[in-house]
Amino acid sequence: MSQLIRNIACFEMDIPSGNHSVPLDFVNINDKTIQSVYFFSSTEDVLMFSPISGKQITQLGETGPFGIYMNLYDDKDNHFIKDYASDNFTIQSEMDHYVPYVINRKIDWEKSYLKTIVPDETEYLTVLIYVLYKTEKLNETVCESPSTISIELLPNEDFQDFCLADYVSAEININMIANISVSKRCSGYIDINAEKSVLENVPAHFFEIQSAKGFQTKPLKINLNQFFYRHRSFSREPVIITLSYTV
Amino acid sequence: MKNRIDGAVGVEIILQNGVSSYLLPCSELLSGMRILSVSFCNSNDVPKTPSGNQTLLIGVENLTLKLTDAATKESLHYQVSEIERDSEQLKFNQIIDFELSELIVTNTEYAEYYHERSVYLIFWYGTNTDFVLPENTEIFPLEMKINENKNYFKQDKYLINKEIIQIMLSFPGFTPSGAETLDRAFISNKFITLVGKNEILFSQIPLDFFHLSHSKNTFFLNFLSVDFDKSFIESITTETEELKNLFFNVVVKG
């Protein structure tokens, strides 16, 4: 029952201390049907930096001293998600402690907001917001027996970008990717610009989750020059990205 | 869990010295229901049952559950250690004849460990079906203050006549109203009972089962109508630090 993803947009957000209604108007995906909205947070064991600003992603924890609630209005002015607690939709960098959900609506981002209660002694929180949305379907070729390739990347800096085209022999002609999986504790982001699909700075951890809560991409028609792994952590563990593909 | 859950019932069996088999208390709530799964509550997650009795600490490997199919009268035996919660739960799809079903202690050598200890089982019932993650869902808050041993919910206008798909307990630091929430450490002595229009749907289920974000097998309700005014949470103890708020989100069909 993996959640199928076609497009993901990534936004970074700072949440100040105190009690606030933080507008979500910066999520400017107004004309698309939204599937789900998730937060991404670091954990103590897998600290990560933002792929956008380079700031450290806050460890929200599962029983943390905060109250963060999502409030969404749809384009028909229905307040259909009211005070949804963030620990249900926060995916942490090494766990699958969240609840998958699908909303399938267009959102009025101008009216939507987060209700936040953060103790005054806490510095602002930096979180990443991932918005899964639909676009026009690709004419997907039937992929009867995909081949598999594993690509090993060896990060030696905290911030390092790898273009996968540099690590795959030019003789291997990858046209359509059927599935992506990554090795454990992969502390970076996968950034793909495919035909009719954009996966923007998606935590590689999303493709590590093996339980029924995991994510799977729809087939992606891709040029590997547009497939990046963006390493953003202190970790120096090798990263293995495995692609199932057809030529 | 792929199935859709109509309800669940907590069943307590108090073990006694020298007794090796126990008929399962035949709850009327389970009569004729299609059992989909059984959970065993270990003493870490549920130290005491709703009656206040201590749960079995060790020796689970010596317990066998004999379940008899109501239609065929065929009995199957299951090791209780295999159905401990958080492991892959055994899947059933049958109506059980509880009068012909029993809990068996297979080794009574260490009887002192068993005497007056409770085995607490949860029988989940519902509809066996391939389940697709529902789309067009709506999500609403539900808040409760623990004040005493038995605490009733208050029906929110958003939830009246809604078809409920999930009820999710969570542990934010503060509720949306700004109230402090109960620490997760105090959850193991709390049990939830959910009432439908005229019937009990969930009876004395350890509250932690509703902490869905931590569940490997997130379960879905069968579009249930719940009367929250009649539904409640029992707390075995009510120490001062427990008198705080609980916060849920309720997912309904849009």
Side-chain angles (χ1 to χ4, degrees), chain A residues 39-49 56-62 90-98 128 130 182-189 203-209 229 232-233:
Chain A
F39 278 8
F40 180 68
S41 130
S42 282
T43 59
E44 197 173 353
D45 289 340
V46 188
L47 278 175
M48 288 177 66
F49 300 103
Q56 190 174 301
I57 304 300
T58 304
Q59 304 168 46
L60 287 181
E62 294 169 88
T90 299
I91 303 173
Q92 302 190 61
S93 52
E94 56 176 346
M95 290 184 274
D96 65 353
H97 291 172
Y98 67 99
L128 294 176
Y130 287 92
V182 300
S183 51
K184 284 191 174 172
R185 306 188 77 174
C186 197
S187 43
Y189 303 86
H205 173 65
F206 280 27
F207 301 107
E208 180 196 329
I209 299 167
Y229 174 72
R232 296 289 185 275
S233 88

Side-chain angles (χ1 to χ4, degrees), chain A residues 126-186:
Chain A
T126 300
V127 297
L128 294 176
I129 302 178
Y130 287 92
V131 181
L132 282 60
Y133 63 96
K134 293 180 177 178
T135 49
E136 186 188 346
K137 279 187 181 173
L138 190 69
N139 287 327
E140 294 152 8
T141 53
V142 178
C143 156
E144 288 184 0
S145 54
S147 305
T148 301
I149 183 172
S150 289
I151 302 149
E152 185 178 36
L153 307 173
L154 302 170
N156 52 23
E157 296 172 31
D158 299 341
F159 291 69
Q160 199 169 358
D161 290 342
F162 298 87
C163 176
L164 261 63
D166 298 338
Y167 297 85
V168 176
S169 163
E171 292 172 9
I172 300 174
N173 181 22
I174 295 178
N175 179 43
M176 189 79 80
I177 291 178
N179 192 34
I180 301 170
S181 61
V182 300
S183 51
K184 284 191 174 172
R185 306 188 77 174
C186 197

Side-chain angles (χ1 to χ4, degrees), chain A:
Chain A
M1 208 174 60
S2 297
Q3 196 165 339
L4 287 173
I5 48 180
R6 185 176 297 282
N7 297 276
I8 300 185
C10 171
F11 302 90
E12 182 182 312
M13 178 178 204
D14 286 336
I15 298 173
S17 59
N19 295 12
H20 298 279
S21 283
V22 183
L24 289 171
D25 53 357
F26 58 87
V27 181
N28 50 357
I29 309 175
N30 294 311
D31 54 342
K32 304 279 194 289
T33 301
I34 305 300
Q35 287 179 273
S36 320
V37 180
Y38 293 105
F39 278 8
F40 180 68
S41 130
S42 282
T43 59
E44 197 173 353
D45 289 340
V46 188
L47 278 175
M48 288 177 66
F49 300 103
S50 165
I52 297 170
S53 68
K55 286 193 288 192
Q56 190 174 301
I57 304 300
T58 304
Q59 304 168 46
L60 287 181
E62 294 169 88
T63 58
F66 324 114
I68 303 175
Y69 297 92
M70 184 160 64
N71 283 272
L72 295 182
Y73 287 79
D74 67 15
D75 60 348
K76 297 179 177 66
D77 205 30
N78 297 309
H79 189 179
F80 73 103
I81 290 191
K82 186 174 167 57
D83 291 338
Y84 188 27
S86 63
D87 46 341
N88 292 310
F89 61 89
T90 299
I91 303 173
Q92 302 190 61
S93 52
E94 56 176 346
M95 290 184 274
D96 65 353
H97 291 172
Y98 67 99
V99 183
Y101 71 111
V102 178
I103 52 181
N104 232 7
R105 295 178 193 227
K106 289 181 180 168
I107 304 296
D108 183 343
W109 296 104
E110 295 286 332
K111 287 195 78 171
S112 299
Y113 63 94
L114 297 178
K115 185 185 287 181
T116 63
I117 305 167
V118 180
D120 287 337
E121 61 270 24
T122 309
E123 279 192 51
Y124 64 84
L125 316 175
T126 300
V127 297
L128 294 176
I129 302 178
Y130 287 92
V131 181
L132 282 60
Y133 63 96
K134 293 180 177 178
T135 49
E136 186 188 346
K137 279 187 181 173
L138 190 69
N139 287 327
E140 294 152 8
T141 53
V142 178
C143 156
E144 288 184 0
S145 54
S147 305
T148 301
I149 183 172
S150 289
I151 302 149
E152 185 178 36
L153 307 173
L154 302 170
N156 52 23
E157 296 172 31
D158 299 341
F159 291 69
Q160 199 169 358
D161 290 342
F162 298 87
C163 176
L164 261 63
D166 298 338
Y167 297 85
V168 176
S169 163
E171 292 172 9
I172 300 174
N173 181 22
I174 295 178
N175 179 43
M176 189 79 80
I177 291 178
N179 192 34
I180 301 170
S181 61
V182 300
S183 51
K184 284 191 174 172
R185 306 188 77 174
C186 197
S187 43
Y189 303 86
I190 284 176
D191 198 17
I192 299 175
N193 198 344
E195 188 178 319
K196 296 180 182 172
S197 284
V198 176
L199 305 184
E200 193 181 1
N201 290 316
V202 180
H205 173 65
F206 280 27
F207 301 107
E208 180 196 329
I209 299 167
Q210 295 297 312
S211 70
K213 295 178 176 181
F215 294 90
Q216 197 177 341
T217 63
K218 295 264 190 178
L220 299 170
K221 192 170 171 60
I222 193 168
N223 177 341
L224 279 189
N225 285 308
Q226 300 293 314
F227 190 134
F228 293 89
Y229 174 72
R230 304 193 191 282
H231 181 72
R232 296 289 185 275
S233 88
F234 297 124
S235 170
R236 295 293 180 266
E237 286 189 42
V239 172
I240 299 170
I241 299 176
T242 302
L243 306 177
S244 299
Y245 68 95
T246 53
V247 295

Side-chain angles (χ1 to χ4, degrees), chain B residues 1-247:
Chain B
M1 242 180 245
K2 282 183 176 176
N3 304 307
R4 290 203 293 243
I5 299 297
D6 286 322
V9 177
V11 172
E12 180 177 12
I13 302 118
I14 301 176
L15 306 180
Q16 301 293 336
N17 234 338
V19 181
S20 60
S21 72
Y22 302 82
L23 281 178
L24 296 178
C26 186
S27 170
E28 280 181 19
L29 301 175
L30 289 170
S31 176
M33 297 301 184
R34 181 162 291 275
I35 303 299
L36 299 177
S37 182
V38 181
S39 302
F40 167 76
C41 300
N42 69 42
S43 61
N44 288 329
D45 294 329
V46 183
K48 288 185 176 179
T49 65
S51 72
N53 203 41
Q54 288 196 309
T55 51
L56 189 67
L57 201 58
I58 56 171
V60 178
E61 65 278 10
N62 295 324
L63 298 178
T64 296
L65 186 63
K66 178 185 139 190
L67 294 180
T68 302
D69 186 271
T72 64
K73 303 299 177 194
E74 196 178 321
S75 296
L76 288 171
H77 291 72
Y78 302 93
Q79 293 290 319
V80 171
S81 55
E82 287 177 15
I83 60 173
E84 280 205 56
R85 65 170 295 224
D86 283 338
S87 60
E88 183 62 28
Q89 292 172 326
L90 284 180
K91 300 294 188 295
F92 306 85
N93 181 24
Q94 58 189 152
I95 296 168
I96 305 290
D97 185 337
F98 280 89
E99 290 179 1
L100 295 176
S101 299
E102 57 189 354
L103 181 75
I104 301 164
V105 181
T106 54
N107 181 351
T108 53
E109 193 178 344
Y110 303 104
E112 67 272 24
Y113 296 131
Y114 297 102
H115 186 58
E116 295 287 328
R117 293 281 185 159
S118 289
V119 173
Y120 202 62
L121 299 170
I122 311 295
F123 287 83
W124 302 83
Y125 62 89
T127 307
N128 183 36
T129 174
D130 276 339
F131 193 75
V132 178
L133 194 63
E135 298 192 349
N136 296 317
T137 51
E138 298 179 351
I139 302 175
F140 298 108
L142 183 65
E143 201 168 328
M144 168 193 272
K145 173 89 191 286
I146 298 290
N147 287 314
E148 49 199 329
N149 290 107
K150 193 169 183 180
N151 306 272
Y152 282 88
F153 287 93
K154 285 200 175 97
Q155 182 90 302
D156 196 304
K157 63 178 180 182
Y158 299 105
L159 297 172
I160 294 171
N161 295 326
K162 292 288 186 181
E163 295 174 79
I164 294 175
I165 302 166
Q166 285 175 308
I167 298 174
M168 299 183 280
L169 172 67
S170 58
F171 295 96
F174 303 93
T175 69
S177 64
E180 274 192 79
T181 52
L182 187 70
D183 192 290
R184 196 176 172 216
F186 294 108
I187 212 69
S188 62
N189 65 1
K190 291 180 176 51
F191 299 83
I192 187 168
T193 293
L194 295 173
V195 179
K197 281 183 180 154
N198 297 305
E199 72 285 27
I200 294 174
L201 302 169
F202 289 81
S203 173
Q204 297 190 310
I205 305 304
L207 197 48
D208 201 39
F209 277 98
F210 286 81
H211 191 197
L212 298 189
S213 62
H214 268 228
S215 168
K216 286 267 179 245
N217 298 299
T218 300
F219 64 87
F220 294 92
L221 308 181
N222 197 11
F223 306 105
L224 300 180
S225 178
V226 174
D227 185 340
F228 284 101
D229 283 334
K230 294 179 187 163
S231 301
F232 54 88
I233 289 175
E234 291 167 281
S235 183
I236 295 173
T237 56
T238 50
E239 303 295 329
T240 309
E241 61 267 38
E242 292 182 70
L243 304 180
K244 291 184 179 173
N245 285 43
L246 286 167
F247 185 76

